[in-house]
Amino acid sequence: MLEDQKKEQAAPSPEFFGSNKKVIQPVKGKKKNYFIKHWQIYSMLIPGILYFIIFKYIPLGGIVIAFQDYNVFNGVFDSPWVGFKHFKNLFEYPEFYQVLNNTILISLYQLILGFPAPIILALLLNEVRKMMFKRTIQTVLYLPHFLSWVIVGGLVISFLSPSTGLVNEVIKYFGGAPIFFVQEPEYFRGIIVSSAIWKEVGWGTIIYLAAIAGINPELYEAAEVDGAGKLRQAISITIPSILPTIMVLLLLKIGNILDLGFEQIYMLLNPLVRDTGEVFDTYIYRVGLLGGQYSYTTAIGLFKSVVGFILLVGANKLSKKITGNSVY
Amino acid sequence: MIKQSFRQRSFAKFNYVFLTILSISMLLPFFHIIAGSFSSGNAIMQGRVSLWPVEFTFDNYRAVLFDKNIWRSFGVTVYITVMGTFLNLFFTSLMAYGLSKSNLKGRKIIIIMVLFTMIFSAPLIPSYLVVKSLGMLNTLWALMIPGLISAFNLIIMISFFQNIPQDLFDCAKIDGCGEYRTLWSIVIPLSMPSLSTIGLFYAVAHWNGYFQALLFIRDQSLFPLQVKLRQLIVESDAEQMIQTAALTVQSIEGIKMASIIFATVPILVIYPFIQKHFMKGAMLGSIKG
């Protein structure tokens, strides 16, 4: 079953990319009527197109306020133009570099530790032969994905609390002094990265398990006959077979390197850990939306989008050259 | 072979032990919170609660369940989840059906337009200003309309609709079905499993999200559950509950724990039912590749 689905889904049907099978070649006379003849279909597209224009493309146009001194009373059309002033300010503020530094560091930790975790877990899960055990474990591992960051944040805060938390009880048991983890700047990044892994590692395995299920079992049989152990099989068969999946997910991760989830970090952020914990998303919310510096934070937002775009396109090109895999 | 089988067996053992420990680590924080939520404030403050309730009490739950505000927030969340998911599915499937016609003129441009929004997203402030200028601030529409169609779910749904045999459409045409009728009577019933998976993704996002509400909602009475819960945990809203439930200040941690459980229970209740769906759903994700 898994295999079937995988095959079905893995390759979008050729029509998806508009293959020219059955393309209606309108004769000149009929051209005028084409839209009228298919008005029903086009009328179905109108709400969606309007949605994308209003909520995705108009905000893209709204980027112009990064080059203005936008204020609410004048609006986009009457606010004075200031060119690259906000971008110059941006690169002069030490605060900006701090936020950039935090964002990149947390993202890198998540990439280095969080990205391989579900791959390893999927490899281990794949070796489990007792179906009941496997199913139970999977049920438990997927559960945290469905909890909101508010709930997970609440769990983290109470789990690490100095007076009542389980972790500090263990520390106290061994004679250590309790640590107020969520208020210590040096622990913040570690807490963010590990709680993100805790929440998503199980869920992340699904896609790899599906990819593994699509591998031809004869490869393993042959390897076993040749005397290859489990580790050898994993390195020489499983990982190369799921490499395309790994690459695509890695590329998407790299494209999102400056987009750390707002909801997770904002939940645990407090003034005491701002030095190590403030990232772009929370900074834009605090300074831009709450502080009213619309133009300045839009400049940051544009910087973020452009960097993300360049990273994705660049990494994609690189990957295409080296491994032959790409997102598009 | 025999030499290996010992290694294999020890690996298998290690594997089972490791996975079991990992699963326990997923559940441990819950047990801790559940135990705390049934314990008295004193016991929690003195750090006597680990995985089993101490000085068993329902006081914490009494404080949470008799709070009118948390029920109002619960209602708001139920409303945006049901209504929002319905709107999501309606408009996503409408657009997906149109775009699943591979010979439609202009289709490619529209798909490129959709894909572009996935790799280059608009900054926060302009998006906020658009919602504001539409007069949606402080209304529940702001929690449903700005995320009406997810580009990713749209693409998945298009490829679903394209897997339906073309013959069916031809038959429908011969029988005189218009496009709307075809969508409603043929495509939707045939795609029920995939629609419910995508609906599940939308619903979970509505239920769990709080960023949108943080941005767009100022009115306390319109706060969804997650925002309310956040105030309870991070800000000092729990103190208010203590007063209304006539409890001592010591109960604050217990009340926080009880409200976390209160917000988790609905997910735990439906989790077994949705599990088979999302297994399928997450694999749809591999369409990316």
Side-chain angles (χ1 to χ4, degrees), chain B residues 135-143 216-217 222:
Chain B
M136 284 185 187
L137 277 197
N138 246 334
T139 67
L140 293 183
W141 294 115
L143 304 183
F216 301 130
I217 307 287
L222 293 178

Side-chain angles (χ1 to χ4, degrees), chain B residues 35-55:
Chain B
S37 69
F38 283 111
S39 301
S40 76
N42 276 327
I44 301 175
M45 281 321 228
Q46 289 159 12
R48 283 189 284 141
V49 184
S50 48
L51 295 175
W52 201 255
V54 177
E55 295 174 14

